[in-house]
Amino acid sequence: MAEKHFKYVIVGGGVSAGYAAREFVKQGVKPGELAIISKEAVAPYERPALSKAYLFPESPARLPGFHVCVGSGGERLLPEWYTEKGVELILSTEIVKADLASKTLTSAAGATFKYDVLVIATGSTVIRLTDFGVQGADAKNIFYLREIDDADKLYETIKAKKDGKAVIVGGGYIGLELGAVMKMNNFDVTMVYPEPWCMPRLFTSGIAAFYEGYYANKGIKIVKGTVAVGFDSDASGEVKAVKLKDGRVLDADIVVVGVGGRPLTTLFKGQVEEEKGGIKTDAFFKTSVPDVYAVGDVATFPMKLYNEMRRVEHVDHARKSAEQAVKAIKAAEEGNTTEVYDYLPYFYSRSFDLSWQFYGDNVGDTVLFGDSDPASSKPKFGSYWIKDGKVVGAFLEGGTPEENKAIAKVARVQPSVENVDQLTKEGITFACKI
């Protein structure tokens, strides 16, 4: 196989890759200079669609509808766009070896790619129950959701097991979004997670109580404080029951597991400095190795706002860090500098008729405000996080675009708070006054 050489190579074909490609083109990359190498068979797309609209029973989202960069209101980069711009999209190609010293990547098929500048955008891989040796976890119809292939298989099985029973293992993002989507597909849904409440990394018990109540009102059963320790399957190898640590057994036609992810850094182990589970970068996403950048889930970078190193797993950061890295690469070539990355953490989710946004840091004391009754016809509530007398984080369910902008501003500005009770009383008006 002939060795191919490119000035710039992006390894990984997820959200970051698409946004980086768009920024490279904006910055005047020449045809033939840039390649994206992806193990997926399709051009970069907005991953969040997979746990939401892709699985809707009515008019589900399909490609080319959600190729990047529609997630941030930009134009869709269809496969033809890459061709028109002279960006080489090398799909269905898994890189199995990266030699940073010789600037060489090798694919599973033995092809080699040389680069001058490398952007690592490998993202995360899902944590599987088989990794922990859970008995029967390799049965058919136990699903994980990371790539479009996973979503296709799940969608087909939803149709095949019409009106069946679904067990969702995990109470985070994927768990909550898929619990909702399986219910919309008329499945009998049970959610199982070990923590005392859902989304424990972000939600307070007060916030979680609303979502658990809302899901219960929709007929979703929630089992907390225990884990799946085994699965039974039928003669054809399809899952039929989930065995829980507390002794309960749940019937299941489909199991969806969402217990977190791990950054995909294995290719670069021992070649590049790591920190907090990711590849250590500066505020321009440069790694410890010259001409190598890391973006998105795999990067541990200095967060200016909080003056500490952090790794962020979220699509918003995947998009923005990719653009930042490309600006820095192009500025460095011209002997210029670009501004340091000044990121405000942002998370959001949508399920059923609900939609929440969170900005900032979820540390310190919290206050809950607004109407968080799960039975309300139009619930609208939020929470502020207060540390050292300042508001450092804000969460809002059911906000208008203006109100969501206001909580983002509060988290960025970090206003002082004299009276915490006042904050509870004022609620969203406090943010809107900043």
Side-chain angles (χ1 to χ4, degrees):
M1 287 187 178
E3 185 174 273
K4 288 190 163 181
H5 179 268
F6 299 94
K7 188 172 181 183
Y8 312 104
V9 168
I10 300 166
V11 62
V15 173
S16 284
Y19 282 77
R22 179 178 70 171
E23 189 60 37
F24 266 120
V25 168
K26 253 192 217 168
Q27 298 278 346
V29 76
K30 294 183 185 70
E33 285 188 333
L34 171 65
I36 294 174
I37 306 176
S38 172
K39 75 175 185 18
E40 289 194 70
V42 294
Y45 56 87
E46 302 282 0
R47 226 177 267 289
L50 299 183
S51 58
K52 302 177 181 75
Y54 203 85
L55 301 169
F56 283 178
E58 307 293 323
S59 55
R62 284 295 173 268
L63 289 177
F66 57 96
H67 278 299
V68 298
C69 298
V70 293
S72 58
E75 130 194 46
R76 264 189 312 179
L77 308 186
L78 301 173
E80 303 82 85
W81 178 89
Y82 298 87
T83 313
E84 282 161 21
K85 304 294 182 193
V87 175
E88 188 130 357
L89 203 49
I90 303 166
L91 301 175
S92 306
T93 301
E94 186 177 1
I95 296 299
V96 292
K97 184 168 186 269
D99 185 345
L100 302 184
S102 67
K103 299 192 167 189
T104 312
L105 305 171
T106 310
S107 78
T112 52
F113 304 92
K114 289 276 207 186
Y115 61 83
D116 297 340
V117 176
L118 179 67
V119 179
I120 299 170
T122 42
S124 296
T125 180
V126 293
I127 294 171
R128 295 175 179 269
L129 297 180
T130 43
D131 301 346
F132 308 114
V134 174
Q135 175 263 322
D138 50 0
K140 289 179 198 156
N141 301 341
I142 297 179
F143 294 94
Y144 299 84
L145 197 57
R146 179 68 195 169
E147 295 175 1
I148 208 151
D149 283 358
D150 304 327
D152 284 336
K153 287 175 194 145
L154 177 54
Y155 187 76
E156 289 311 310
T157 310
I158 287 170
K159 287 196 297 196
K161 300 287 179 188
K162 210 168 156 31
D163 306 340
K165 288 184 158 67
V167 174
I168 311 288
V169 177
Y173 265 107
I174 294 283
L176 286 166
E177 292 183 357
L178 281 165
V181 120
M182 295 305 286
K183 192 70 200 169
M184 288 162 73
N185 279 288
N186 208 32
F187 271 69
D188 176 333
V189 179
T190 305
M191 291 180 66
V192 179
Y193 43 92
E195 299 89 358
W197 62 76
C198 63
M199 282 284 282
R201 278 165 61 180
L202 175 62
F203 289 180
T204 61
S205 58
I207 294 173
F210 166 80
Y211 293 98
E212 290 175 347
Y214 190 99
Y215 275 49
N217 291 344
K218 291 276 186 192
I220 293 174
K221 296 181 278 299
I222 294 176
V223 180
K224 298 188 274 194
T226 189
V227 292
V229 290
F231 299 90
D232 290 336
S233 43
D234 61 18
S236 64
E238 293 187 351
V239 71
K240 60 170 194 179
V242 183
K243 295 186 281 196
L244 303 183
K245 195 174 184 176
D246 67 7
R248 277 184 273 190
V249 178
L250 308 172
D251 292 338
D253 300 300
I254 293 180
V255 174
V256 189
V257 182
V259 291
R262 277 194 198 100
L264 274 169
T265 57
T266 15
L267 283 173
F268 313 101
K269 285 261 179 263
Q271 304 184 70
V272 65
E273 209 177 315
E274 293 190 54
E275 191 173 327
K276 295 186 175 174
I279 295 170
K280 186 180 179 182
T281 76
D282 65 8
F284 308 101
F285 296 99
K286 269 165 72 172
T287 70
S288 59
V289 177
D291 303 322
V292 177
Y293 292 73
V295 296
D297 287 10
V298 295
T300 301
F301 63 97
M303 203 178 276
K304 187 180 170 187
L305 197 56
Y306 308 123
N307 195 25
E308 66 175 46
M309 296 296 286
R310 293 211 184 165
R311 198 175 65 77
V312 175
E313 284 180 23
H314 196 265
V315 65
D316 179 60
H317 165 68
R319 294 169 183 149
K320 289 174 178 164
S321 58
E323 290 170 350
Q324 169 76 359
V326 175
K327 283 179 185 146
I329 289 165
K330 296 304 278 181
E333 287 174 0
E334 287 149 21
N336 299 327
T337 52
T338 183
E339 288 192 16
V340 303
Y341 193 58
D342 187 8
Y343 185 65
L344 174 68
Y346 165 54
F347 301 97
Y348 67 86
S349 183
R350 291 187 297 277
S351 55
F352 294 121
D353 301 327
L354 305 173
S355 171
W356 60 259
Q357 295 194 8
F358 166 85
Y359 292 91
D361 214 9
N362 58 328
V363 292
D365 300 319
T366 57
V367 299
L368 192 66
F369 61 81
D371 174 12
S372 59
D373 179 353
S376 288
S377 58
K378 276 200 97 59
K380 182 172 180 171
F381 71 96
S383 187
Y384 293 117
W385 279 258
I386 303 113
K387 189 183 177 213
D388 301 332
K390 293 188 299 198
V391 177
V392 293
F395 171 97
L396 188 62
E397 165 63 55
T400 63
E402 289 69 34
E403 289 166 339
N404 288 328
K405 273 200 190 96
I407 65 162
K409 191 173 177 187
V410 160
R412 168 73 73 188
V413 174
Q414 301 184 0
S416 299
V417 179
E418 299 302 311
N419 181 346
V420 173
D421 296 340
Q422 191 63 26
L423 214 49
T424 315
K425 272 209 239 17
E426 283 188 35
I428 188 63
T429 24
F430 173 82
C432 293
K433 290 189 314 198
I434 300 298

